[in-house]
Amino acid sequence: MRRTHTTKARVAVLGTALSALLCTLATTPASAAQSTPAGWESIALRVDSAQRLSQGKAITVAVLDTGVQADHPALKGHVTTGSDFLDDGASEDSGNWGLHGTAMASAVLKVAPEAGILSVRVLDESKNKKRTVSGGTSPIAKGIDYAVGHGADVISLSLGDAGNFVQDYNADEAYAIGRAVSRGVTVIASAGNSGDEDNSGSYPAGYPSVISVAATGQDGARAPFSTVRSHNAVAAPGVGITMAKKSGGFTTEDGTSPACALTAGVVALMLSHNPKLTPAQVRSALTTTAHHPEGGRDALVGYGLINAPAAVLAAASPAKDRTTPVKYTGKEHFGTPTGTSKVTHPAMEQGIWLSGLGAAGCGLLLVLVAILMGRRRRTGPRS
């Protein structure tokens, strides 16, 4: 009898649990039907621990990119499609729309699954060349102002250089970023991908007030392609990162672009945990809690690989923000153009490198003479 009663009780409990599970599945939003697979980057950033503290709820991350495919299963229900500042007639079905931006949005949501994405199109993916603005304001500057005006809490700019695609300094963009930060919006940008080539500087990562993100590999060291700059603030994983494909499914990518997007997700967790954080406090929490390299910081990875849960905890009780806007009173701009690009190294003067080459040749000749004399002494007749 007791065994029969116990069995019946177990069946009843099992039935109740099954019903609850079915109800839960029935009420699960479509946006959770498929999520971007986690990889080594989630372990490196300690995303699971950070998500126990925050999920990014009520935070909007503006992804300024090539457009975002809002109906991708990993993004559905999270994306608001904003303005397109290119006016090139491209649609969601065209090849120069949404490939890169869709991937970046999925990387943000991988870290902050309850955040919202504001998609702002400012780049044409089919043009692998230096950004030019023929009259009027830069599309990126317009996109930044648009994002601020439409409720963005974080702006993610995965717009670093790759090959011949170089982002040069643009005054409109610098001023737009200043306006965004003064309104309390944190701006994050990828450091660039020319570290294994000519290590050209890249904007928007180089603008003041931007949090520049370098990329690391699975070994925790700087990824070979990650641009080395003194303005790099922190680093995040950037090798073999799984992200959404515009056409559906997923793919893996390398670059400081995914590192930037993952960082934007961490910042969304921080702001959801403490919505009163200022951009300066966000930077401070990220840099003080990161895994510092030897010496505290360097141009390779800034203050080091982000520690997501530590950053979220630090966001709860941030240091006081002592930054204040200062009115410019000078008569001339301190950075008057000199004709030299701000992202490339100036050519070395011919006289200098010829002198250096001559000195090196003389030094090599002296070394050879010393070696010959040494051999002569060792092989001379014995007394």
Side-chain angles (χ1 to χ4, degrees):
M1 290 292 293
R2 182 178 300 172
R3 183 175 181 179
T4 303
H5 178 74
T6 303
T7 302
K8 289 181 179 179
R10 287 176 178 172
V11 170
V13 170
L14 181 60
T16 302
L18 182 59
S19 298
L21 178 60
L22 290 174
C23 290
T24 301
L25 292 174
T27 57
T28 300
S31 60
Q34 184 180 14
S35 58
T36 305
W40 71 272
E41 73 283 352
S42 295
I43 298 173
L45 293 172
R46 299 182 61 200
V47 169
D48 287 348
S49 297
Q51 288 178 347
R52 295 190 187 100
L53 303 169
S54 173
Q55 295 275 313
K57 186 176 181 179
I59 298 302
T60 297
V61 179
V63 176
L64 272 61
D65 214 288
T66 63
V68 175
Q69 193 72 37
D71 61 356
H72 189 287
L75 306 177
K76 195 171 183 179
H78 290 274
V79 180
T80 299
T81 301
S83 188
D84 183 342
F85 289 101
L86 294 186
D87 298 326
D88 59 355
S91 66
E92 294 186 11
D93 297 326
S94 61
N96 59 343
W97 194 100
L99 294 174
H100 192 261
T102 300
M104 296 308 111
S106 70
V108 173
L109 293 177
K110 179 186 290 191
V111 178
E114 292 185 12
I117 301 293
L118 174 62
S119 171
V120 185
R121 186 167 179 262
V122 298
L123 287 181
D124 183 342
E125 183 148 38
S126 68
K127 295 178 180 177
N128 184 30
K129 61 183 182 180
K130 182 176 179 179
R131 182 180 76 241
T132 58
V133 182
S134 55
T137 306
S138 155
I140 294 175
K142 291 180 179 179
I144 292 169
D145 286 334
Y146 177 90
V148 174
H150 287 75
D153 302 291
V154 186
I155 294 177
S156 181
L157 301 169
S158 292
L159 313 177
D161 60 277
N164 295 324
F165 186 67
V166 180
Q167 306 289 355
D168 209 340
Y169 179 89
N170 181 281
D172 289 334
E173 295 169 12
Y175 296 145
I177 288 170
R179 290 190 293 271
V181 172
S182 68
R183 294 277 297 274
V185 179
T186 300
V187 183
I188 305 167
S190 50
N193 301 327
S194 65
D196 55 353
E197 297 172 356
D198 59 358
N199 199 50
S200 296
S202 181
Y203 294 93
Y207 292 126
S209 302
V210 170
I211 297 175
S212 175
V213 183
T216 66
Q218 293 193 38
D219 59 357
R222 179 188 71 93
F225 55 77
S226 184
T227 300
V228 179
R229 289 281 145 173
S230 60
H231 56 65
N232 286 344
V234 288
V239 177
I241 309 301
T242 302
M243 293 178 289
K245 290 175 63 177
K246 173 189 172 181
S247 58
F250 302 91
T251 185
T252 57
E253 289 190 23
D254 298 344
T256 57
S257 285
C260 169
L262 292 169
T263 301
V266 174
V267 174
L269 299 182
M270 296 166 65
L271 289 172
S272 183
H273 199 56
N274 181 3
K276 296 182 179 180
L277 283 179
T278 67
Q281 289 172 325
V282 168
R283 178 189 291 269
S284 177
L286 284 173
T287 57
T288 56
T289 60
H291 301 286
H292 293 175
E294 185 176 355
R297 82 174 302 276
D298 57 34
L300 302 176
V301 294
Y303 284 94
L305 180 65
I306 290 171
N307 183 335
V312 175
L313 286 173
S317 54
K320 185 176 180 180
D321 185 353
R322 300 182 184 278
T323 60
T324 56
V326 178
K327 184 178 180 180
Y328 178 67
T329 58
K331 295 181 179 180
E332 293 183 4
H333 193 281
F334 68 90
T336 302
T338 61
T340 301
S341 170
K342 294 179 174 60
V343 298
T344 57
H345 302 292
M348 184 179 289
E349 294 183 12
Q350 187 175 11
I352 296 176
W353 70 263
L354 284 176
S355 298
L357 186 62
C362 291
L364 180 61
L365 181 61
L366 291 173
V367 170
L368 291 174
V369 170
I371 293 174
L372 290 173
M373 292 181 66
R375 285 183 176 178
R376 189 172 181 180
R377 289 194 186 99
R378 287 195 298 272
T379 58
R382 294 181 181 179
S383 57

